[in-house]
Amino acid sequence: PHTEHASRGLDAYVNHDLRRAVDCIREREQVDRVSIVGICFGGLLALIYTALHSETVAHLVPVAVGFEKRQIIPPMLIEQTILMNRNVPAWWVRNVVNARVPAPALIPQYLATELHEPELQRSGRICAKLEQWINSDLPFAGQLARDIIRDVYWDGQLADGRLRVGGRRVSLAQIHCPVLNISGSQDQLVPPKSTQRLIQCLGSVYARNFVFPSSHIGLIASRDACEELWPRVCMWLKIIDY
């Protein structure tokens, strides 16, 4: 996002961007509903989208999505940052949200521990790729940061059913499609306890939690996730009907 995008919030990202993407897939594949897998922040957008547009979603797989009220970053700090920069700068995201990721010299040990793959300590190529990814943080649109930090997490409006996006209340009880809520047992950024109550708020008769023995990054990038978790997700998408 550039300065002129500072006013784009959840309404723009969910009801416009994500909805256009879903409609594009529906038209291309000639289907009424699509399956959505969303990871971390993307999972939060997918969750809100599904609550507002449930008629277009066949399956929902939120991965490492913080759901419970979290008071990590005070809204006043976000407001001051937006006042000075209009958007939340990339360096702020790197130093606050991704603060657990160490300096470049310590990345090999960090990656080996996160993915449970000791041999990665000797893989300069993979560690360089992770460093490149970490340094690719983008700014957060100012209004989007305000909506997420203040309304979703600090005030707990999503969990309480009070969140409004585009003038509509986001009711998780409107989600009736099958939901597989995935978390990592060693995830320190989004611990399982912060996400597992989600399924109790859904209207779906087939919603379950699945905890995989992994860290936050490990859910996506580890060998175990590639060999065990994601094939299992693919199978679930195939056999579970709406």
Side-chain angles (χ1 to χ4, degrees):
H2 300 289
T3 302
E4 60 267 27
H5 303 135
S7 62
R8 302 189 88 241
L10 278 173
D11 181 37
Y13 278 80
V14 171
N15 290 325
H16 297 273
D17 298 349
L18 187 49
R19 184 171 185 176
R20 281 199 298 267
V22 170
D23 287 345
C24 178
I25 300 298
R26 292 169 64 208
E27 181 178 356
R28 189 186 71 187
E29 301 298 325
Q30 294 298 294
V31 296
D32 293 327
R33 302 173 184 271
V34 302
S35 299
I36 303 182
V37 179
I39 299 167
C40 197
F41 172 61
L44 180 63
L45 294 180
L47 183 64
I48 295 171
Y49 172 86
T50 305
L52 293 173
H53 306 283
S54 58
E55 72 282 358
T56 68
V57 182
H59 306 85
L60 175 64
V61 183
V63 182
V65 176
F67 174 68
E68 298 283 10
K69 185 176 181 180
R70 304 168 74 197
Q71 298 181 347
I72 299 174
I73 305 169
M76 184 58 69
L77 178 59
I78 291 293
E79 292 296 336
Q80 291 174 344
T81 302
I82 295 172
L83 181 63
M84 290 186 294
N85 303 280
R86 298 204 62 189
N87 291 323
V88 176
W91 61 261
W92 193 97
V93 177
R94 173 67 176 90
N95 290 321
V96 176
V97 179
N98 290 327
R100 289 186 58 251
V101 180
L106 300 177
I107 282 182
Q109 176 62 44
Y110 169 80
L111 194 59
T113 301
E114 284 287 299
L115 303 187
H116 301 295
E117 298 175 32
E119 66 274 17
L120 291 181
Q121 293 188 66
R122 301 184 296 275
S123 178
R125 181 179 63 86
I126 294 178
C127 292
K129 289 296 184 182
L130 177 69
E131 183 180 355
Q132 180 182 359
W133 175 61
I134 291 298
N135 290 332
S136 69
D137 283 326
L138 298 173
F140 245 64
Q143 185 60 44
L144 180 65
R146 182 182 289 117
D147 290 346
I148 297 296
I149 299 301
R150 182 193 64 191
D151 297 341
V152 172
Y153 287 131
W154 191 271
D155 289 343
Q157 292 182 18
L158 178 62
D160 294 346
R162 295 180 290 114
L163 182 67
R164 301 189 72 85
V165 175
R168 295 176 58 193
R169 187 172 70 88
V170 180
S171 172
L172 298 176
Q174 294 300 313
I175 298 179
H176 299 290
C177 66
V179 178
L180 183 62
N181 186 39
I182 299 174
S183 56
S185 61
Q186 291 125 39
D187 189 339
Q188 298 183 46
L189 183 64
V190 185
K193 66 179 181 180
S194 73
T195 187
Q196 291 186 336
R197 193 173 70 86
L198 166 62
I199 63 171
Q200 300 174 19
C201 301
L202 305 176
S204 174
V205 296
Y206 193 96
R208 58 169 295 197
N209 289 316
F210 179 66
V211 182
F212 189 73
S214 181
S215 63
H216 193 75
I217 294 178
L219 286 171
I220 312 306
S222 69
R223 180 183 294 115
D224 288 343
C226 292
E227 294 178 352
E228 299 180 30
L229 173 61
W230 291 103
R232 189 175 301 188
V233 171
C234 291
M235 184 60 67
W236 182 85
L237 290 171
K238 287 180 181 180
I239 65 176
I240 301 300
D241 292 326
Y242 183 81

